[in-house]
Amino acid sequence: MYTLVLFVCYLNGGCKTLPIENFTTEEQCLYAMKDQGIRHGGCYPYETKYRMKGLHPARQHSDLWLLHSH
């Protein structure tokens, strides 16, 4: 699994990474990145240690995962 991550950097310094969505393959992730016009981001292997208990992000909506991942 791969996670599409958006990088947000602030004018006063510092950056954050925001997970957008999870995909089964890297190719799906790269396609979504291109399709959504994300230039400051990337596709990274999904690490289960970051997954919220009881939530299953991936092929469906990842909004709940995004809300609880901060």
Side-chain angles (χ1 to χ4, degrees):
M1 288 182 69
Y2 287 84
T3 302
L4 176 56
V5 177
L6 177 65
F7 303 124
V8 179
C9 293
Y10 302 99
L11 294 175
N12 64 351
C15 295
K16 294 216 178 214
T17 56
L18 300 172
I20 303 297
E21 191 172 350
N22 290 314
F23 298 92
T24 305
T25 66
E26 185 177 19
E27 290 78 22
Q28 291 171 331
C29 184
L30 293 171
Y31 177 82
M33 185 174 159
K34 182 178 179 183
D35 186 53
Q36 295 178 31
I38 295 175
R39 294 183 299 146
H40 302 288
C43 293
Y44 295 92
Y46 177 76
E47 296 185 29
T48 56
K49 66 181 178 181
Y50 295 120
R51 192 165 105 191
M52 295 295 295
K53 201 173 200 178
L55 297 178
H56 302 283
R59 295 168 284 232
Q60 296 180 354
H61 301 286
S62 60
D63 298 26
L64 290 175
W65 183 67
L66 289 173
L67 290 174
H68 296 288
S69 65
H70 301 298

